[in-house]
Amino acid sequence: MSREYRYRSGLVHLYFGDGKGKTTAAAGLALRAVSAGMSVFIVQFLKSRASGEIKILESLPGVTVLRGKSGKNFVSAMTEDEKRATKAISDRNFLSAMSAASAGVCEMLILDEICAAWNENLIEHSLVERFLSSRPENTEIVLTGRNPPELFIKSADYCTEFKKIKHPFDRGLAAREGIEY
């Protein structure tokens, strides 16, 4: 079977919920895709801290990673200026991803934490709506985050919820390098 035939109809994956592992699952899927010879484009919204999976993925041929936000605060503690700057970064990165997908230069597009960017109005909704309604048929799309809007659920072919039952953070244990980031 030719590669062109196998990837002719990309599907949409949605990894959501309050449990740990959404980004890790998306990163695992990216590794699987790269090992199959696919090109992968990753946009991480609202993240700027270096993480283990991103360090490795950035080093692989065929993988492009865009990420960033303004300042070091979580969204809830951002100033209005930081929110405006973060929205500009998010929109710019998303436009780059849309362009890559439309040009056929990425076979998998991962939009990590797009749910949070959407819910906090830190990405232009009309851009996302337009992209999902007219997405390139050859691009596999992966959306992650908490509390996905109905649009994401309706757009998804795969819809997986990560549900937290227990987490060490609840006991005051901070995120650990190599495990949570």
Side-chain angles (χ1 to χ4, degrees):
M1 173 183 319
S2 79
R3 188 166 160 205
E4 183 177 320
Y5 175 78
R6 286 189 302 164
Y7 303 120
R8 190 172 56 208
S9 58
L11 301 177
V12 176
H13 306 243
L14 174 60
Y15 301 148
F16 74 98
D18 64 357
K20 176 186 177 319
K22 299 174 292 290
T23 298
T24 304
L29 192 57
L31 286 172
R32 179 176 284 164
V34 169
S35 72
M38 294 171 69
S39 56
V40 178
F41 201 104
I42 301 168
V43 178
Q44 281 198 312
F45 299 96
L46 312 180
K47 291 183 177 180
S48 57
R49 175 199 253 185
S51 65
E53 66 270 13
I54 292 302
K55 289 178 192 175
I56 290 295
L57 287 167
E58 285 177 321
S59 73
L60 297 175
V63 177
T64 301
V65 178
L66 297 177
R67 56 200 319 260
K69 67 182 186 81
S70 179
K72 295 184 181 203
N73 293 324
F74 285 112
V75 174
S76 60
M78 282 183 178
T79 67
E80 288 305 312
D81 285 343
E82 287 174 324
K83 287 180 182 180
R84 273 191 294 280
T86 295
K87 183 177 185 307
I89 292 166
S90 296
D91 288 345
R92 183 177 64 242
N93 288 346
F94 187 73
L95 284 167
S96 293
M98 283 177 59
S99 180
S102 296
V105 296
C106 76
E107 294 165 286
M108 177 177 286
L109 173 57
I110 296 174
L111 302 171
D112 186 40
E113 292 298 344
I114 193 166
C115 295
W118 176 283
N119 292 333
E120 297 293 337
N121 293 309
L122 295 174
I123 189 165
E124 184 60 45
H125 289 188
S126 63
L127 290 175
V128 179
E129 291 167 346
R130 185 173 70 232
F131 178 73
L132 289 175
S133 69
S134 61
R135 64 188 170 81
E137 69 177 28
N138 294 336
T139 304
E140 204 79 8
I141 311 286
V142 182
L143 313 170
T144 76
R146 295 173 184 239
N147 305 313
E150 191 63 29
L151 170 68
F152 294 4
I153 294 169
K154 286 180 180 178
S155 298
D157 297 291
Y158 299 90
C159 198
T160 304
E161 182 175 9
F162 290 69
K163 181 174 173 46
K164 180 185 82 159
I165 305 301
K166 241 174 127 169
H167 195 292
F169 183 78
D170 298 334
R171 297 191 324 258
L173 186 61
R176 298 167 298 146
E177 185 175 6
I179 305 300
E180 279 86 24
Y181 67 93

